[in-house]
Amino acid sequence: MLPPGSTIGVLGGGQLGRMIAMAASRLGYRTHVFATEPDAPAVQVAAAATIASFGDPAAVAGFAAAIDVATCEFENVPAAALRRVAAKRPVLPRPEILEIAQDRLREKNFLRSIGVATADFRDVADPDELAAAARELGRPAVLKTVRLGYDGKGQVLLGADTSPEDAWHRMGAAHGILEGFVDFACEISVIVARGSDGALAAYPAVENRHVNHILDTTIAPARIAPDIAAEATRIARHIAERLDLVGILAVEMFVTRSGAILVNELAARPHNSGHWTIDACLTSQFEQLVRAICGLPLGSTEHHADAVMTNLIGRDVARWRAALDEPNAKVHLYGKTRTRPGRKMGHITRLVPHGRAAP
Ligand code: AMP
């Protein structure tokens, strides 16, 4: 066990790192953030920070020497930096897990290898392979970059008339994955934590609505049949076990119109669809991560309120003031000084405490 007073290293300076640091400090831990920007959201609340590029080996080595355990708040920490930290200190979840989640092909191949269903997919390396894959999978289909894609970046929908050359250039990467289009009834996610002793704790499945490929709203718990929710939880726990996870894992899934579950993506870190747990659960996803990587027992994932979480994206951030007047709304702002379209500036969680009727 890593006792309170120890230092947790967080790779990445965004809002997830900020909320990890806040949860860590409540349990008496210090946080040292590695970020590329001096005023990054996580840097503002951390005890210490290294401001450097992930490609700077001396800065990464100095960071590793200053911490007791490391975790990532950001999907695309370069593998070389991760390995450099891992050579000196435990990195949890393990770098091998992060490398699977960073690569959509490895991720889908891994999921298939452990018996988890995904959309049909093909590995495509040029416009000719893309054309052949589109003939096999049918249209519409979704072309995605294999690496460095998030929030729909590097994603192109191949409709009936889209030319493979055009789609390839719009994707803008040297390696792609073509996925069959899933005509889903809804999108859900399950967040699961696993301790170093193998203990598992899953949060209820939640329902996610995206606008412009960016998460807009999470409804917790998801309004799905109990057997589908139970199956989603079983899948998430199975993946965490097979990955030998220590830490936290978010599993994004599609529920098809026939009630089947297809896994879309894994994120081995706290997830935007778990922000509601801060205000509505006995243990937040951030505290759960701290507990898992420090070797503490996991906390209860029970929720004492239902919740609807709305992201404040770009200029939506101006809604924070009105939300403060709502008694059941909790406002979270990430300390970002510059607003950009598509940028996650904060979120609002609206609670319906159990035992009280919805407004
Ligand atoms: P991703 O970057 O894979 O998380 O995709 C972002 C969003 O695009 C998802 O949350 C879905 O709303 C949509 N999407 C991604 N893949 C597919 C697919 N194969 N079929 C239908 N919609 C998809």
Side-chain angles (χ1 to χ4, degrees):
M1 185 196 67
L2 206 57
S6 307
T7 300
I8 298 173
V10 175
L11 289 153
Q15 62 269 15
L16 300 176
R18 181 181 176 97
M19 292 183 270
I20 294 168
M22 289 162 71
S25 72
R26 200 163 80 165
L27 283 172
Y29 291 92
R30 301 168 68 83
T31 304
H32 184 132
V33 169
F34 191 107
T36 53
E37 303 286 335
D39 193 38
V43 173
Q44 295 172 18
V45 302
T50 299
I51 310 300
S53 147
F54 288 109
D56 177 344
V60 173
F63 167 78
I67 62 171
D68 298 301
V69 64
T71 197
C72 292
E73 69 94 45
F74 152 73
E75 204 111 282
N76 295 315
V77 175
L82 275 178
R83 289 186 182 278
R84 208 162 263 135
V85 177
K88 284 205 180 147
R89 297 286 184 264
V91 174
L92 296 171
R94 295 180 295 118
E96 293 77 4
I97 298 177
L98 301 165
E99 287 172 25
I100 291 172
Q102 280 178 350
D103 181 309
R104 290 186 194 271
L105 270 171
R106 287 183 66 180
E107 185 174 78
K108 286 209 165 49
N109 283 320
F110 165 75
L111 291 167
R112 292 275 174 113
S113 77
I114 62 163
V116 171
T118 67
D120 282 337
F121 65 96
R122 296 286 185 278
D123 178 355
V124 289
D126 61 41
D128 289 340
E129 287 189 15
L130 174 60
R135 279 192 296 276
E136 286 176 29
L137 296 182
R139 296 186 186 219
V142 184
L143 176 65
K144 301 179 181 178
T145 55
V146 170
R147 302 182 63 84
L148 299 177
Y150 65 98
D151 286 348
K153 292 193 174 76
Q155 231 183 81
V156 182
L157 181 72
L158 257 85
D161 303 324
T162 316
S163 92
E165 287 75 18
D166 183 43
W168 187 260
H169 292 299
R170 276 198 280 149
M171 173 191 61
H175 196 183
I177 175 173
L178 186 71
E179 294 179 15
F181 185 82
V182 180
D183 181 24
F184 51 78
C186 68
E187 293 187 75
I188 62 170
S189 55
V190 173
I191 293 174
V192 60
R194 187 164 176 272
S196 49
D197 58 353
L200 277 166
Y203 290 94
V206 299
E207 198 174 324
N208 299 317
R209 300 232 184 104
H210 294 83
V211 175
N212 298 327
H213 294 286
I214 300 174
L215 183 67
D216 181 74
T217 306
T218 293
I219 300 166
R223 298 161 305 172
I224 53 178
D227 59 325
I228 295 178
E231 176 61 5
T233 304
R234 187 197 66 76
I235 291 169
R237 295 171 70 102
H238 173 61
I239 297 170
E241 266 171 355
R242 296 302 295 266
L243 284 172
D244 195 19
L245 174 81
V246 176
I248 199 157
L249 179 77
V251 184
E252 294 180 30
M253 313 178 207
F254 300 125
V255 180
T256 68
R257 295 192 187 276
S258 58
I261 294 176
L262 303 175
V263 172
N264 178 39
E265 246 196 325
L266 306 177
R269 52 161 174 77
H271 192 259
N272 196 168
S273 70
H275 290 357
W276 71 285
T277 62
I278 298 174
D279 299 306
C281 292
L282 295 182
T283 312
S284 76
Q285 62 167 348
F286 301 99
E287 177 176 338
Q288 206 69 288
L289 171 65
V290 170
R291 287 175 177 240
I293 67 176
C294 293
L296 307 178
L298 299 180
S300 166
T301 53
E302 197 180 317
H303 62 297
H304 47 76
D306 290 358
V308 176
M309 188 286 310
T310 309
N311 270 333
L312 296 173
I313 293 171
R315 284 164 42 172
D316 291 353
V317 68
R319 296 186 194 151
W320 69 270
R321 176 62 191 84
L324 283 184
D325 290 331
E326 292 177 42
N328 287 354
K330 301 302 293 181
V331 176
H332 299 252
L333 297 172
Y334 304 151
K336 297 181 183 179
T337 45
R338 259 177 302 160
T339 307
R340 278 197 307 271
R343 190 169 201 212
K344 290 174 178 170
M345 306 298 293
H347 68 269
I348 298 171
T349 303
R350 295 188 169 85
L351 298 166
V352 182
H354 289 167
R356 203 177 320 161

